[in-house]
Amino acid sequence: DPEQRLERCKQDLLVSRAQAEDKRPPSPPPPLPSPAPLLLPSCTVWGICELHFEIEPTTQPFETELHATLESYDDPTQRLRVRGFYDGGGIYRARLSPPIAGRWRWSTSSSAAGLDGRTGEIMVSEDLEPGVLPPVHADGRVFRHADGREHFSVGTTAYAWIHQSDELLEQTFTTLKGPGAAFNKLRMTIFPKYYWYNRDDPADGRFPYRGSRPGSRDGGAWVFDTRWFDVVWWAKLERLVARLRQQGVVADLILFHPYDHGRWGFDCLGGMNPHSYNTSNDRLYLEYAVARLGAFSNVWWSLANEWDYVRCKSQGLSNGGSPVWDELGETLASEDAHRRPKSIHNGAHLYNHSRAWVSHVSLQGKLSEIPSIVGGRFGVKPVVWDETKYEGNIPLGWGRLRSDEMVDRFWLGLTLGVYVGHGETYLQAGVAQEEQTMWWSKGGSLRGFAPPSIGWFRDRVTDPSRPPFSELAPLDAQPLTGCQGQALVQQGSYALFRLTEPCVDRRSPHCSLRIPGLAHGERFRVRLLHPMMHTTTMLDQGSAREEFSTSGIECPIGRQTGWPGGNIGGENHSTLVELFVEPPALVRGWSGKLRRSGDAVIASLRSAAQRGVRSFRIAPGEYELGARTITLSGISDMVVRAAGVTFWFVPGGGLRLFDCHNLRWEGDHPLAPFAIDYDPPAYAQGRLTSVDRISSSSSVEAVFDTAFPMPSSEEAVFSRAGGAKVALWSAATRTMLRSPEGAVNAWFAGSTPLGQNGTRWRIEIGGHLDAIMQASPPQVGDLITVAPSRGPHALELDQCGMVTLRAFHIYGGTCMGIVEHPGRGANKYEQLRIGRRDGTSHLLSVTADGFHSVGVGQGATIRASEIAFTGDDLINIHNAICIVLERLSGTELVVADPKDTIFDTLGPGDDFALFDLHTREQVASGILAASPETYDGGWAEKIDGVPETLQGPPYNLITRGAPFTARRVFRLQFDSPLAGDVRPFLLGQSLSKGNRNATISDSWLHDSYARAALLQSTGARAERLLVQRAGGVHVSSELEWLEGDLALQDVQVVDSTFEQCGEPAIEVSPQAAGTVLRGNSVEPTSRAVGMPPFLLPLASPPPQPPPWSPTSPPAPPPLPPPSPPLPSSPAPSHPPPPVPPPAPLPSPLPSSPPFPPPVPPSPFPLAPGAPPHTLTPSAPLHSPPTKPVHLPPGL
């Protein structure tokens, strides 16, 4: 290619000039440019954002200083500053891996004028790159992914595999997918290795540095320019690391090692004399390596292998460190902006792992010291026993473990509380030493029997039915059992024993096994593990014991012969016995389904919170909690992991978090969220059998499903007139029949039973039926719901702050889905879903608002979420309004808090403002001198007359009935006299608890009984939303409900799509100052969309329904007979959207599918270069779908 030849000539000229000026040793000519860019052009969370600059290179391009800073607009605390690097041909790059989605700004600083002062913005998508796991960090003594999931490390070693032939590289990747699939970490050296069974130069003749071998014909030594890196070699390393990342394997990169022996000089870049060693070349190398590779989410750093054997760096060597290694460790930490795990591996001497730059302890040998290290000798850090000796048959003591011995090391390490690594050193018969391809040195193929059994080990340890590693503690087995060995226990529920007491005549000695902390009367089961057979044996055959004796158990024996390394022929080194408590007793729910009782889980969670436990895991399953409000109080600084957990309530029950702070409660998307659901549902549901009287008497007849409550006026929840809401639904689309304004607003006025079987009812309806009849009149066969909104909310956050709910689903509720009120606020909701459960016939989710926030200090953040099918508004965010009743003095007021949402959390220093009822102008304001106090002063008798007074002239305030749900009266004391005309019946509210700056972004809001969102607090922002079939967004205060910010301002609604949301789709009050509406689109009809990708299951999506023809609408489902229960209607299937393909990757990475057909422009901004996400129609709504609809990147 002429352009490539021209580029090569330019490189030759620059290199020659630089070598002439600096008298560098001659180097081989540079290669043709490296293959197409590896990195995907889209920028995703934990992916790689690459900045690319091209300038005229200097004579010292690798020493040009370049730094890039990335700062999040959404969270000012999120800031990354990384070093850039030179990539040849005048090209400089900087790579950053953003930890959160959203909008980021970047800037550069550089010693080169052409690179300095560059700026720009990046949109970061929530979607993960295929197969990419979030990065790992140390969390106490365990590893954890950035999304909160625990990472259980099972490593292996192939030191110099990256320096082998392409054929051997491919074989290594294939092995890691097959026989080596047990391993999720690979230890590997960056520099080549000159050691036993590996004394070759790299197969491709390339090194991390540009170099030459002037006397190669005479066996002369290599000469390298340690200030000039071979960019093609580094690009190859990147591709290998990226492929490991796609396979879910950590690349544990060893930066230095002692296996050079003068061959290349990479171990001693600063000279051979330890007393005059110069670290400048080492530091430049560390800076370059971290700049190129630090953004990869699967990279770990090992500063050195056998650090104390690198003699030239051993100045001041002691049992704990040396000045050179300390300096290099600090350099690595300062360069590593992404804070990847970092370690240093020992030879004879342990490093001082308590140094701050060390994230985890990497060990070779030192078995006797492991208990003290796990116990905190270097602080509380994860411990990885990377080198326990190797499975193999070489004539060296460290490489002769049998397969069963290698496997037993993993179980030993587990019971000691550490992670374990593997290695394999098998000799091939008839192959010369330097031609051996051992996995330990060159990768390739695994030949031993240990890897499959290590895979079985990993599966057992990570089985969700077992306690996670983070909740298990290592103990000495001797005090527990009377026998030698180790134990790994969870107090009161689980114990794993590795017993090493010698067997007698192949029979185990007497050991008394029990679970520490077992509750009085609790029982457990006993299981024997056979790690080489991959099987277990139940020892108690169904009986439960409080103590178990091992007497008479047959010792595990190797039942196969011909193991590599020799015939086992004898007994294994240990006996593995598990003790575990059976799952709790099952209780029967309202529908007859059996579920676990949730009492023990709640008790354990409360106990853990009182003890200050930082992480609590709820075992997957369904838990019955009845018609109670479960209150969890005072939980702080804790993560509750509840993947695959459902709390089932009976209407009248719910979950309440009180005074909780910095609590994170999370499930796991998309397959195992945490969920709240109700059995039975909190409303009645049926199918219309007659609509003849709907126009004349506003009544319909219907047969109701027996899986739901019956809508009897004699039932307490349906007895209050106007206390329940009626919605009519299209049977074809399962969406509400709406009025032109986008709402329903029909009320339950009463019911009459028809017939004898109790399922047929006549329902009287009040409200706005005329508008519904004109827009979309119901038909026989359509559906009906009657939904009371009384009782506790599904989830209540009371006086909480900094709570994060992730992958948290709510499928039902007797009132609102989530309510947050007085408290610090600043709560976050990610991948929240309030909607109807898939695969059920349910039409509604909750019977009132989906999300309701009032009176908190800092507004909520809702992102990448779905809120739908609610019995009232989807979202309502507002400040609370109180009423001035009396002025006692210049500094004292008497006020009423009609909704009981303000005064419990106000205190000294909080500001409070008073407003005129009609003009909404601020009349006075002051600072509270003390916390509000309850006050009588005769108001207990007079409070009932306040609503009537407000309804009449001159106030004319409350038009929908007095919302005085609370009757408390308070005395407010201010720190100075209030100026202005302070008089009764002014309106007051706290500015400190004003719910400021709430944000809803990248979310799907659809199908509400009333409005989509009420943004009634200052600084609220709605962006990149898809809103369908709801009463639009309202930017205003509702005085008739005593809700809203009386000085509402600076609300933004931007880049959102509104479909079938009534007129107007966005309503802004004239009093709402500074409102910004930008980039929004409004459509009169809505289109069907498939489920957003973050809610889709990963495998086996439901089939796409047949296409819908507008000329032949589907017939309504047949009516059920009068007597049997109403059959459940299947939920509409949601076909997955076409997946946007990544950018083409260089071979041998897999090729990408073709791009989808062109789509119309999306209203939602996407990451630069990323194809739009599209969703195809799955079912018809009121108008036939004509084009795909675009969802935000967060979805």
Side-chain angles (χ1 to χ4, degrees), residues 23 56 72 149 174 237 289-290 302 319-320 376 382 391 413 478 501 533 535 591 700 799 837 881 920 1086 1148:
K23 298 184 179 179
E56 189 69 25
S72 169
R149 288 179 293 166
T174 302
L237 175 59
V290 175
S302 177
N319 190 10
E391 175 190 7
Q478 180 72 31
E501 197 80 10
M533 302 296 111
T535 60
S591 63
V700 296
Q799 301 184 36
R837 183 186 285 271
I881 300 173
R920 302 195 190 184
S1086 61

Side-chain angles (χ1 to χ4, degrees), residues 140-141 307 318-321 346 348-355 358 360-383 418:
R141 68 176 188 87
W307 67 276
S318 63
N319 190 10
N346 64 280
H349 301 89
L350 285 176
Y351 186 76
N352 180 8
H353 297 285
S354 63
R355 296 198 177 275
V358 179
H360 64 280
V361 179
S362 173
L363 289 180
Q364 171 184 196
K366 306 296 182 183
L367 175 60
S368 63
E369 300 190 51
I370 287 179
S372 68
I373 295 172
V374 173
R377 175 172 159 190
F378 298 117
V380 181
K381 297 181 178 183
V383 180
V418 305

Side-chain angles (χ1 to χ4, degrees), residues 183 388-394 399-412 420-426 446-455 457 498 530-534 557-574 576:
F183 305 117
T388 70
K389 299 185 179 180
Y390 302 123
E391 175 190 7
N393 60 2
I394 61 175
R400 291 186 57 79
L401 290 181
R402 300 193 311 262
S403 297
D404 62 315
E405 291 175 318
M406 181 80 257
V407 173
D408 188 62
R409 300 296 171 102
F410 277 82
W411 291 98
L412 170 59
V420 183
H422 158 272
E424 184 184 283
T425 52
Y426 281 115
L446 288 164
R447 299 181 175 88
F449 284 81
S453 296
I454 295 171
F457 159 84
R498 178 184 177 272
H530 309 286
M532 296 304 293
M533 302 296 111
H534 310 174
I557 297 176
R559 306 186 191 281
Q560 298 187 32
T561 59
W563 298 94
N567 187 351
I568 290 180
E571 297 170 353
N572 284 344
H573 293 270
S574 62
L576 297 169

Side-chain angles (χ1 to χ4, degrees), residues 681-726:
Y683 59 94
Q685 178 174 314
R687 194 181 302 278
L688 297 179
T689 58
S690 174
V691 294
D692 295 341
R693 303 172 61 177
I694 191 168
S695 299
S696 59
S697 61
S698 297
S699 66
V700 296
E701 295 179 10
V703 57
F704 281 83
D705 193 332
T706 56
F708 297 75
M710 292 296 110
S712 171
S713 300
E714 297 180 1
E715 296 288 339
V717 294
F718 293 101
S719 61
R720 183 165 61 94
K725 300 171 185 177
V726 174

Side-chain angles (χ1 to χ4, degrees), residues 837-916:
R837 183 186 285 271
D838 295 334
T840 70
S841 64
H842 297 184
L843 294 173
L844 278 174
S845 55
V846 297
T847 62
D849 292 358
F851 179 89
H852 194 106
S853 177
V854 55
V856 298
Q858 179 74 22
T861 298
I862 303 173
R863 64 178 306 274
S865 297
E866 177 191 11
I867 302 178
F869 302 111
T870 62
D872 208 305
D873 304 319
L874 295 171
I875 294 177
N876 189 350
I877 297 174
H878 63 90
N879 199 350
I881 300 173
C882 70
I883 299 169
V884 176
L885 300 178
E886 182 180 1
R887 181 170 186 169
L888 299 178
S889 68
T891 59
E892 294 180 306
L893 292 179
V894 177
V895 296
D897 182 6
K899 295 195 172 184
D900 200 11
T901 54
I902 304 177
F903 295 115
D904 286 331
T905 58
L906 290 185
D910 284 331
D911 49 5
F912 199 84
L914 305 176
F915 297 83
D916 182 270

